Amino acid sequence: MMWNITSDRPIYQQLTEGLTERIVSGIYPPGAKVPAVRELAAEAGVNPNTMQRALADLERDGLLYTQRTSGRFVTEDEGRITQMRETIAKSRIEDFLSSMRQLGFTSEETLRLLTQTANRKGDLQ
């Protein structure tokens, strides 16, 4: 998964979001060891202190925990991961619906277009 760091928001927030996506999508599954700060920082092309801040945020949010001398690990609380995954999905849906309203689409029109597009791509049965 590539890092897509932009200049419109604080870097550590973007790193936190990227790491969260890796966790909720299963790239870093429950109980998995997370790469070291320096490795992640080099991969993202950022200062290790910035990556450290992002990892600390994820610990505060309960998605990561530290084992002394062993490193950081993804929580084994699958309920917490599912909750975060759904929170992200709802936020993205709200952004999408807002965009569609700005284009002048009603909820019914949006749902119709979404269903048609998903069916055409074979995403919905």
Side-chain angles (χ1 to χ4, degrees), residues 23-114:
I23 292 168
V24 302
S25 69
I27 292 172
Y28 297 152
K33 186 174 191 312
V34 177
V37 173
R38 291 192 183 281
E39 182 180 339
L40 286 169
E43 178 186 314
V46 300
N47 184 296
N49 291 331
T50 305
M51 184 59 75
Q52 174 63 35
R53 184 171 180 186
L55 292 167
D57 280 356
L58 291 175
E59 283 192 58
R60 187 193 70 239
D61 292 343
L63 291 176
L64 296 180
Y65 65 93
T66 300
Q67 281 189 345
R68 250 175 131 68
T69 71
S70 297
R72 283 191 176 87
F73 296 83
V74 175
T75 182
E76 294 179 16
D77 182 352
E78 293 185 29
R80 178 73 184 118
I81 294 170
T82 298
Q83 176 187 27
M84 183 60 72
R85 183 174 183 238
E86 288 179 5
T87 298
I88 292 168
K90 287 176 184 176
S91 175
R92 290 184 181 180
I93 290 168
E94 286 297 325
D95 290 345
F96 169 74
L97 292 174
S98 176
S99 295
M100 294 303 284
R101 281 191 296 274
Q102 288 176 357
L103 291 172
F105 285 92
T106 65
S107 295
E108 294 77 19
E109 291 171 324
T110 299
L111 185 57
R112 180 181 50 77
L113 287 171
L114 182 60

Side-chain angles (χ1 to χ4, degrees), residues 1-23 28 40-41 43-47 49-58 60-61 63 88 92:
M1 179 178 196
M2 294 294 298
W3 294 96
N4 186 21
I5 307 298
T6 61
S7 62
D8 63 337
R9 295 179 303 117
I11 293 171
Y12 81 92
Q13 287 178 344
Q14 295 177 65
L15 295 171
T16 301
E17 291 166 4
L19 290 165
T20 299
E21 283 190 22
R22 289 177 181 203
I23 292 168
Y28 297 152
L40 286 169
E43 178 186 314
V46 300
N47 184 296
N49 291 331
T50 305
M51 184 59 75
Q52 174 63 35
R53 184 171 180 186
L55 292 167
D57 280 356
L58 291 175
R60 187 193 70 239
D61 292 343
L63 291 176
I88 292 168
R92 290 184 181 180

